[in-house]
Amino acid sequence: LTLFIHLSTLFGILVPWLYPFESFASKLLFISLNGSTVLILLNYYLCVVVDPGFVSPSYKPPPTTSAHLTPIVQTPNNVDPSNDTLTPFFCDRCQLYKPPRAHHCRQCNRCILRMDHHCVWIASCVGFKNQPHFVRFLFWTCVSCWICIVVLIMRLESVLFGVVHGQKQLEMQETVGELIIVGINFVVLTPTVSILTMLAYNQFHLLLTNQTTIESLNQSKRASFAYSGKRVDLSFHPYDLGGWIDNVNQVLGSNMFSWL
């Protein structure tokens, strides 16, 4: 779908309208549109081929783990109040111990390190190893779609400007095909951009607070417990390092150029 929007916008609107790209703005639009699409394909490929990070069969938990040093969200019942220790997590399906933040995926039939969710787009889980590529994939997909919207609006504005100022009939006939593509792309882009922007916003929010989707859902469950009369600290994110840069570094790496 993204490729269809990109190719139709590029060859159906941008090239017929602005070729040979003499102005700075036309060059910028051409480079931005193609560059963002290349980064979409690259990060999508990496999402698919890089495994999400599976729990090693050789993993052995420490004998006792301080509940304060290793806070956990998904299974608070694992904390023994008598000695303030955290019982090691064990997966009944894999018959293996697993570290905190790891979860068993039914579709993959494996325990995934820092599992975020199972994504049907990549037919795999988003986890410790491929989450950086997934975040970048979402970001550049949104950027590419918004660039397409800018191109559509600018082309529609130029056509309306030509109509108002009496553009030649022959030139107006040549733009009919472009206007059809503009209409189709607007219909396709409106729901696509809305959904992608909401998904990206949610993923970026989790990234900035060092949460996964699973942990965020458990946070919602804690909220429902609080509303039912139980005392729960809703502001507590146990893996939040205190600053958004530190949280982002833990997922995307300390080199800011690697964030893109």
Side-chain angles (χ1 to χ4, degrees):
L1 181 61
T2 304
L3 278 178
F4 164 77
I5 295 172
H6 165 78
L7 294 175
S8 60
T9 302
L10 178 63
F11 295 107
I13 300 173
L14 196 61
V15 172
W17 175 33
L18 296 177
Y19 185 81
F21 308 110
E22 296 177 348
S23 67
F24 174 77
S26 62
K27 290 183 175 68
L28 181 62
L29 284 174
F30 181 79
I31 294 173
S32 301
L33 182 58
N34 286 283
S36 60
T37 304
V38 168
L39 290 171
I40 289 171
L41 297 176
L42 174 62
N43 283 288
Y44 180 79
Y45 172 78
L46 292 173
C47 281
V48 174
V49 301
V50 174
D51 71 79
F54 301 112
V55 176
S56 171
S58 61
Y59 170 77
K60 299 296 180 185
T64 58
T65 306
S66 169
H68 293 299
L69 293 178
T70 311
I72 202 67
V73 170
Q74 60 263 36
T75 316
N77 294 331
N78 274 25
V79 178
D80 184 357
S82 62
N83 55 14
D84 196 32
T85 60
L86 188 68
T87 305
F89 292 96
F90 187 80
C91 179
D92 295 327
R93 296 183 180 90
C94 296
Q95 292 297 301
L96 296 172
Y97 285 105
K98 59 183 180 180
R101 310 189 82 176
H103 296 271
H104 183 88
C105 176
R106 296 178 181 178
Q107 287 81 5
C108 298
N109 199 28
R110 297 283 295 275
C111 282
I112 310 299
L113 293 170
R114 202 178 67 198
M115 178 178 171
D116 189 85
H117 67 286
H118 184 88
C119 181
V120 295
W121 292 359
I122 63 176
S124 181
C125 279
V126 176
F128 175 73
K129 290 186 177 181
N130 65 350
Q131 187 178 10
H133 308 306
F134 182 78
V135 171
R136 287 189 287 265
F137 165 70
L138 271 182
F139 173 77
W140 287 114
T141 302
C142 288
V143 169
S144 179
C145 288
W146 280 107
I147 292 174
C148 288
I149 289 179
V150 170
V151 172
L152 298 181
I153 293 175
M154 290 177 64
R155 184 54 178 143
L156 189 60
E157 181 186 20
S158 69
V159 171
L160 294 177
F161 182 84
V163 171
V164 171
H165 291 78
Q167 193 174 24
K168 294 180 181 179
Q169 185 68 26
L170 180 60
E171 294 177 356
M172 290 301 300
Q173 290 176 356
E174 294 175 351
T175 63
V176 173
E178 295 178 46
L179 290 176
I180 294 175
I181 296 175
V182 168
I184 293 174
N185 282 11
F186 262 125
V187 171
V188 175
L189 275 170
T190 300
T192 302
V193 169
S194 300
I195 295 172
L196 285 173
T197 302
M198 288 188 291
L199 288 174
Y201 172 81
N202 178 67
Q203 193 66 215
F204 296 152
H205 170 72
L206 297 177
L207 179 68
L208 295 175
T209 56
N210 203 355
Q211 296 184 82
T212 65
T213 299
I214 293 175
E215 291 162 0
S216 176
L217 292 174
N218 282 321
Q219 189 81 0
S220 299
K221 293 179 182 178
R222 294 170 65 199
S224 65
F225 293 153
Y227 291 136
S228 63
K230 298 182 180 180
R231 297 178 60 186
V232 178
D233 183 6
L234 301 180
S235 63
F236 180 58
H237 301 313
Y239 300 106
D240 191 342
L241 300 178
W244 68 268
I245 294 181
D246 294 330
N247 292 332
V248 173
N249 285 344
Q250 192 174 75
V251 177
L252 300 183
S254 57
N255 186 353
M256 289 191 178
F257 289 104
S258 67
W259 295 5
L260 301 176

